[in-house]
Amino acid sequence: MPIFTAPDGTELAYHVRGEGDPLLVLPGGPGQDSEYLADLGGLTAHRRLLLLDLRGTGDSAVPADPATYRCDRQVEDVEALRVRLGLERMDLLAHSAGGNLAMLYAARYPQRVARLVLVTTIPWALGRPATPEDRLAAARLRKDEPWFPAAFPAFEAWLTGEGEGDDDFAAFGGFFYGRWDDTARAHAAGMEERANHDAEERFHGPGAYDPPALRTALAQVTAPVLVLAGEVDGGPRPELARAVADAFPHAEFAVQPGAGHYPWLDDPEWFVRRTTAFLDGASLPSAG
């Protein structure tokens, strides 16, 4: 497991999986290590994944200054890893909250990004969070699921602050996955066990984002971008994910059918096929 040192002295870890051209991967959460990404549905057969454990997660050290958990403060961690890897330009994939870090990185270092994939990213950095109404509207798409009658009230209570927080997740976790099967349940349980809640709470903290400035910077990014949404994901819904694509001048937008927030689990073949086609430079029509 390789270790490198961030500019502030924090020791950070990344994990290498698969073969092929390198693809730097940023996890989401926020506050999750990279373990939950696994092999991204088999993407390791096509690319050598370099999965960063963000500071305070997984095998990376807890920073001396907790304020450095803020998203914009971690941009230099990503740049330090690029330098460590000796890559002049790099392909970058980010999931969920990690997509905000990737957008800030692309804005600050546009010349270092070859291709960018943003998977189910809520555009906090653009001033567009997912609302409870967004999430509930997506949840209602699952009304025919056998677990829906019990899960929906628990989910609604959690969103309105009337639930018991993360302890309720097992009751409504199905709304985050396209298929709420044993694989999804195990995945959800593992994420909760490994979460760094301090990092989670500070990631989107005050001052992290300047949406107007970011929009101006992203409009100058020349790298191709793929924004991928899940059809039944509530955070972000496809309509909100499209706002991410709209921020870039050279973006493709795709909606994975039947997928939730973790599309590589819901239909690995679709996810890998669409992602590798983009990374290989294939021209495919936008969807959704």
Side-chain angles (χ1 to χ4, degrees):
M1 178 192 61
I3 299 289
F4 68 102
T5 304
D8 70 343
T10 304
E11 291 192 339
L12 303 177
Y14 65 98
H15 303 265
V16 182
R17 299 184 185 132
E19 299 178 354
D21 293 335
L23 176 63
L24 180 59
V25 181
L26 304 180
Q32 285 290 339
D33 62 10
S34 64
E35 180 66 24
Y36 80 95
L37 297 164
D39 67 351
L40 283 173
L43 194 56
T44 47
H46 305 270
R47 287 289 180 127
R48 178 162 53 96
L49 305 185
L50 309 168
L51 300 110
L52 176 62
D53 283 343
L54 301 182
R55 53 182 52 219
T57 73
D59 293 307
S60 289
V62 172
D65 181 3
T68 63
Y69 283 133
R70 206 174 71 177
C71 182
D72 60 320
R73 301 284 296 275
Q74 298 193 58
V75 170
E76 295 305 320
D77 294 351
V78 180
E79 174 63 2
L81 179 52
R82 182 198 65 80
V83 172
R84 162 64 182 268
L85 296 169
L87 299 173
E88 183 68 20
R89 298 171 73 230
M90 61 184 178
D91 291 338
L92 181 61
L93 182 149
H95 174 245
S96 190
N100 293 279
L101 177 55
M103 285 192 282
L104 295 187
Y105 180 84
R108 192 177 300 178
Y109 293 102
Q111 74 280 13
R112 300 304 185 188
V113 179
R115 287 180 174 267
L116 174 61
V117 181
L118 299 172
V119 180
T120 59
T121 292
I122 298 173
W124 287 88
L126 296 171
R128 297 285 304 278
T131 66
E133 292 75 20
D134 287 335
R135 294 186 181 276
L136 291 173
R140 291 186 183 97
L141 298 175
R142 317 298 295 280
K143 60 183 177 59
D144 293 329
E145 299 279 3
W147 44 264
F148 180 88
F152 188 82
F155 189 45
E156 189 172 29
W158 177 69
L159 288 170
T160 58
E162 298 175 3
E164 298 179 4
D166 292 330
D167 292 339
D168 283 346
F169 188 76
F172 55 76
F175 293 122
F176 292 82
Y177 296 83
R179 294 195 310 269
W180 191 227
D181 54 14
D182 289 344
T183 298
R185 288 185 175 89
H187 184 263
M191 290 187 65
E192 180 53 32
E193 290 171 2
R194 297 189 304 273
N196 179 332
H197 294 295
D198 191 23
E200 177 185 9
E201 292 173 2
R202 294 176 182 271
F203 189 82
H204 297 305
Y209 307 124
D210 182 345
L214 181 60
R215 289 181 185 279
T216 298
L218 294 183
Q220 306 304 313
V221 172
T222 59
V225 179
L226 171 64
V227 176
L228 195 153
E231 182 183 23
V232 298
D233 190 12
R237 296 186 72 189
E239 302 94 308
L240 183 57
R242 188 182 286 276
V244 179
D246 290 343
F248 293 91
H250 306 292
E252 301 176 20
F253 178 66
V255 179
Q256 181 169 324
H261 198 60
Y262 308 97
W264 63 90
L265 290 177
D266 298 321
D267 188 341
E269 291 184 6
W270 195 102
F271 177 83
V272 170
R273 183 172 62 252
R274 187 64 181 87
T275 303
T276 55
F278 170 76
L279 291 172
D280 293 342
S283 179
L284 294 174
S286 295

